[in-house]
């Protein structure tokens, strides 16, 4: 896993990635963290989320996608359903869901440049060491990079 520093969303706009992945809950709420930034900057991604069934547990481990066109560039935003909800204390990240999201990303976006934040390790409270190993396993052989946020 290669790590770079910067703003994942701006890097996508600048043409650094063909697809970016972020973690979502299954409640069609993008209210905090990078999901809120995605919702604000790429309403197409939020529309893709809203097109899924709110509160449906079967979304866990799946993805919804939006094609984004800005300034002559096209890339995809991938909403990865990695947690069921956002409420309460404790770990909300689901490691098996993260694994299945990454499998889906590889199946659909293999051969493309993929970027992501520390999915599941921020507000969802997951163990980044474990999540990083899952991502490494599932995106093995792909051009993928962790973007550590620096405004």
């Amino acid at each position: 896993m290669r790590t770079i520093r910067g703003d994942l969303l701006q890097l996508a706009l600048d043409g650094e990635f063909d697809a970016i992945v972020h973690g979502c809950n299954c409640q069609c709420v993008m209210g905090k963290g990078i999901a809120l930034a995605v919702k604000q900057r790429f309403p197409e991604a939020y529309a893709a989320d809203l097109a899924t069934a709110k509160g449906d547990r079967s979304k866990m481990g799946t993805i919804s996608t939006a094609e984004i066109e800005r300034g002559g560039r096209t890339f995809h935003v991938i909403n990865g359903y990695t947690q069921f909800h956002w409420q309460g204390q404790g770990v909300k990240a689901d490691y098996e869901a993260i694994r299945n999201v990454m499998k889906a990303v590889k199946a659909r976006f293999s051969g493309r440049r993929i970027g992501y934040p520390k999915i599941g390790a921020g507000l969802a409270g997951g163990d980044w060491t474990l999540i990083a190993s899952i991502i490494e396993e599932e995106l093995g052989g792909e051009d993928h990079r962790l973007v550590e946020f620096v405004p």
Side-chain angles (χ1 to χ4, degrees), residues 68-82:
I68 309 297
E69 295 181 27
R70 300 283 193 285
R73 291 191 172 94
T74 302
F75 61 93
H76 288 84
V77 173
I78 304 163
N79 304 317
Y81 298 100
T82 58

Side-chain angles (χ1 to χ4, degrees), residues 36-82:
L36 177 59
V38 166
K39 177 182 179 178
Q40 292 169 339
R41 288 183 84 176
F42 308 124
E44 303 95 325
Y46 184 51
D49 184 36
L50 290 176
T52 68
K54 180 180 180 179
D56 184 355
R57 281 200 182 272
S58 70
K59 288 195 311 189
M60 290 293 288
T62 68
I63 62 174
S64 64
T65 64
E67 185 174 86
I68 309 297
E69 295 181 27
R70 300 283 193 285
R73 291 191 172 94
T74 302
F75 61 93
H76 288 84
V77 173
I78 304 163
N79 304 317
Y81 298 100
T82 58

Side-chain angles (χ1 to χ4, degrees), residues 94-109:
D94 182 302
Y95 301 117
E96 193 60 28
I98 293 169
R99 181 176 300 284
N100 289 331
V101 161
M102 292 304 158
K103 284 179 182 179
V105 168
K106 185 169 184 168
R108 183 146 175 215
F109 296 94

Side-chain angles (χ1 to χ4, degrees), residues 1-2 102 105-114 116 135-145:
M1 175 182 298
R2 292 187 334 193
M102 292 304 158
V105 168
K106 185 169 184 168
R108 183 146 175 215
F109 296 94
S110 181
R112 302 210 180 120
R113 299 167 301 154
I114 302 165
Y116 47 85
I135 293 171
E136 223 16 79
E137 286 173 31
E138 299 306 331
L139 294 184
E142 299 298 327
D143 179 359
H144 65 99
R145 284 173 272 163

